[in-house]
Amino acid sequence: MVATTISAGTSTDPGRDCPLCPRLVDYRTELRAREPDGFNAPVPSFGGPDAQLLIVGLAPGAQGANRTGRPFTGDYAGDLLYDTLLHFGFATGTFLARPDDGLTLTNSRITNAVRCVPPQNKPLPVEITTCRPFLIATMDEMPNLRAIVLLGRVAHDTMLKTLGIRAVTAPFGHGAVHDAGRFKLYDSYHCSRYNTNTGVLTPEMFRAVFARVKKDLARG
Ligand code: URA
């Protein structure tokens, strides 16, 4: 069953010192001491709430979003993601891997399943659950939302839970598209350096997902 109203009554972004996940608070504290000039806080979504497309990643990378404060900015995963968004007109400008590069998103928005950087890039199930209300609130404030690209299994699973969709009815697979009421869900392997270096995900495979999104949105 797909929830038609998703409302958490939560703000869209955790505060800078969000206390909800003790392990992530400890890691944040450690990183703040180690890299005092970094962002080192829950990373807010990038892009406006009017967008039709929402892209959901895993969590900020230690050397990327957690350092720069913008999702997928500063690590390899962002190079492929922003290059693809620019290619399909979902972004304009030039991606320079820094939050002041002037890049803007067009009809798209990027968020993460978990807003804080996790050790070893692996959030615990309880942390994914604890952060879900922020994802729900983010979607809730997007009246035009139609297409949701899910980067990796964690994003896929948390979205199914968010929408009340049974996992057996919507298995994860690269290129899979699932109907979810007023939304369509588009699965993709995560654009991590590991996946691209090992050939699990090629730039062509990644582009194919966004080509489908573009076509579906144009159809109305
Ligand atoms: N950076 C992010 O913001 N999210 C990811 O999933 C990976 C890198």
Side-chain angles (χ1 to χ4, degrees):
M1 194 194 79
V2 175
T4 47
T5 307
I6 40 174
S7 183
T10 306
S11 67
T12 54
D13 294 300
R16 262 195 80 79
D17 296 313
C18 179
L20 295 178
C21 301
R23 190 182 74 117
L24 301 185
V25 172
D26 286 350
Y27 192 43
R28 182 168 73 212
T29 306
E30 188 187 317
L31 288 176
R32 281 180 182 175
R34 209 193 300 162
E35 296 182 33
D37 294 335
F39 184 75
N40 291 321
V43 175
S45 306
F46 177 35
D50 290 338
Q52 289 182 294
L53 167 61
L54 179 66
I55 298 150
V56 184
L58 170 62
Q63 292 310 311
N66 183 65
R67 192 173 44 80
T68 62
R70 193 175 75 180
F72 288 91
T73 299
D75 51 29
Y76 177 82
D79 292 352
L80 180 55
L81 176 60
Y82 286 110
D83 183 65
T84 305
L85 295 180
L86 285 161
H87 178 84
F88 287 102
F90 286 120
T92 40
T94 307
F95 176 63
L96 297 176
R98 30 189 297 174
D100 61 356
D101 57 14
L103 185 100
T104 55
L105 296 185
T106 310
N107 202 22
S108 66
R109 191 179 212 195
I110 306 173
T111 195
N112 278 306
V114 172
R115 300 299 187 89
C116 287
V117 57
Q120 278 90 48
N121 233 8
K122 284 195 181 8
L124 300 175
V126 65
E127 292 160 353
I128 298 166
T129 301
T130 301
C131 215
R132 194 171 300 127
F134 299 107
L135 176 61
I136 295 172
T138 297
M139 293 169 65
D140 241 1
E141 68 158 15
M142 297 180 70
N144 305 317
L145 181 59
R146 300 264 315 288
I148 305 174
V149 171
L150 301 165
L151 300 180
R153 191 176 288 274
V154 168
H156 169 91
D157 289 349
T158 199
M159 186 54 65
L160 295 195
K161 290 195 173 111
T162 294
L163 296 173
I165 298 172
R166 290 193 314 132
V168 285
T169 66
F172 177 79
H174 181 80
V177 181
H178 305 288
D179 279 316
R182 71 184 173 101
F183 312 123
K184 264 192 165 60
L185 311 180
Y186 301 80
D187 285 342
S188 172
Y189 293 138
H190 193 284
C191 47
S192 64
R193 184 197 290 270
Y194 178 82
N195 279 349
T196 48
N197 278 355
T198 55
V200 167
L201 179 70
T202 63
E204 293 72 28
M205 287 166 68
F206 198 55
R207 279 190 183 190
V209 172
F210 287 87
R212 172 79 193 267
V213 170
K214 189 85 183 174
K215 193 173 87 183
D216 289 352
L217 287 178
R219 250 193 220 144

